[in-house]
Amino acid sequence: MPSPGSDKMNLNQIHNVYFIGIGGIGMSALARYFKSIGKNVCGYDKTETELTKELVSTGISIHFEDNISLIPQEYYQENTLVIITPAVPVSHSEWNYFVERDFQIKKRAEVLGIITKDTFCFAVAGTHGKTTTSSILGHILYESGVDVTAFVGGIVENYDSNLIGTGKTVTVVEADEFDRSFLHLHPNIACVTSTDADHLDIYGDKASIEASFQEFAAKVEDKNSLFIAKGLALKGVTVAVNSEADFKAFHVRIENSQYVFDVQTPSETLLNFEFCLPGTHNLTNALMALAMAKTYGVSSENIRKTLATFKGIRRRFSFQIKTNDLVFIDDYAHHPTEINAVHQAVRELYPNKKVLAIFQPHLFSRTKDFAADFAKSLSAFDEVILLDIYPARELPMEGITSQWLLNMMTSEHKKLVSKKDLIATILESDAPVVVTIGAGDIGELVKPIKEALL
């Protein structure tokens, strides 16, 4: 729960912002934001990535060793805010240095709560679809001239950034259920895209997750400003594709490799929206963003125009190669529901082609909790290559391995491969459609795989 007084901090009095774990997708958006409003920003991360390189190119200093002497002198002052990620271990010496000296230390979610408290806040919640929905919404609002800042959990292709705009009056944030972070927010308009079981290491069971979403939903005072995917056990304005709802997408067709669809709102019928991201889940995300923007007051014409120009998000069904002979798609999916969505979208676009999926499981706990569902969703692909489990913040669990998961899969064509043998194994396949899937460091392998395939 939010700590007492967590919303009382005055950001105007802060000159320096120091990030411990600056390379995380949510942390880096905050780093860009503070840099854009004139604060001094620097930080630590344990590994150098494409994302940290991008931050450094904007003038943010980053080091990769947990070493107090590497913190610049000016950050030792009282007017420094320290922001930490939940992934940082309690033994971290830089963190302990700041704790021992009573610096203002906040989690990312608390800082978002402070930034958004005095703005008109759109909060996008759900176990899947947060990043895509908030990116589309941020794009619609920004391109329609709204004074908005959108903090997004992915790099939006249109802006090559996870920060859209630097507006002062309206914010768009992802309302993250991990660690119950979303309870720090003060949403004026919100949505819930899904409430699947996930983060069971935090919650314990699905009922606790659903209770947490109920608590989040209760923070929206006007129930006409809470949008929910049809079928969820929440009260609000319903949104659905090809099914009766308050906001309904219908007459959905594919023209020139993109969706064209009509929308029934509570008061009118709107025709011929275009949207380029494949998969019914992405169409639902687009409709959710449309419903929120329309309720805020953006014109139908602006929504139509901006939806058509949305290019997508890096690592969200991201085309790396797209020729007649070969397609390579990269996706961040790390939950069975998300893998099913990737499979549905691939089959819709390439119905008669062999598909090779390369999957890196993310977290031992998630692999353990959803093993049967992972095995089922992966077995739907024609060929599967599994990598070892990416541990992220966790220690290994006895018996929970990729080999154990592989043994549960019914697929005839399946292999467990090390990272060093991955590219050679991919090149042995004759599949014309290749998909990399996972939330770990598989994203760092996308570029070398692409180069090998070309």
Side-chain angles (χ1 to χ4, degrees), residues 371-421:
D373 292 333
F374 274 125
K376 188 178 177 186
S377 58
L378 290 166
S379 296
F381 293 95
D382 303 302
E383 293 182 18
V384 182
I385 295 173
L386 268 192
L387 294 172
D388 281 327
I389 297 169
Y390 183 77
R393 57 186 179 268
E394 293 183 337
L395 294 170
M397 292 181 173
E398 193 177 340
I400 309 302
T401 63
S402 285
Q403 182 62 55
W404 171 71
L405 178 59
L406 191 83
N407 294 344
M408 296 173 74
M409 288 166 51
T410 56
S411 173
E412 284 178 38
H413 305 284
K414 57 182 181 179
K415 277 181 188 168
L416 175 59
V417 173
S418 68
K419 275 192 222 164
K420 68 178 174 54
D421 296 328

Side-chain angles (χ1 to χ4, degrees), residues 41 43 66 79-80 106 134 147 159 163 165 232 239 281 287 318 333 371 377-378 397 401-402 413 418 434 439 447-448:
V41 177
D66 177 15
N79 56 16
T80 294
K106 303 281 182 195
S134 53
D147 182 41
Y159 307 93
L163 186 74
L232 299 185
V239 173
H281 61 299
L287 185 61
S318 175
S377 58
L378 290 166
M397 292 181 173
T401 63
S402 285
H413 305 284
S418 68
V434 177
K447 210 170 170 184

Side-chain angles (χ1 to χ4, degrees), residues 73 134 208:
Q73 245 0 84
S134 53
S208 299

Side-chain angles (χ1 to χ4, degrees), residues 263 303 385 448:
V263 176
I303 296 172
I385 295 173

Side-chain angles (χ1 to χ4, degrees), residues 10 19 29 36 42 53 56 60 74 118 178 189 200-201 209 222 259 262-263 284 326 343 363 377 390 442 450:
N10 185 351
F19 287 83
S36 75
C42 81
K53 287 175 191 166
V56 169
I60 294 172
E74 65 264 34
D118 298 322
F178 174 75
I189 294 180
L200 295 183
D201 53 328
I209 291 177
D222 179 2
Y259 285 122
D262 303 334
V263 176
T284 306
L326 182 66
H343 180 263
L363 299 179
S377 58
Y390 183 77
I442 190 170
K450 178 179 177 177

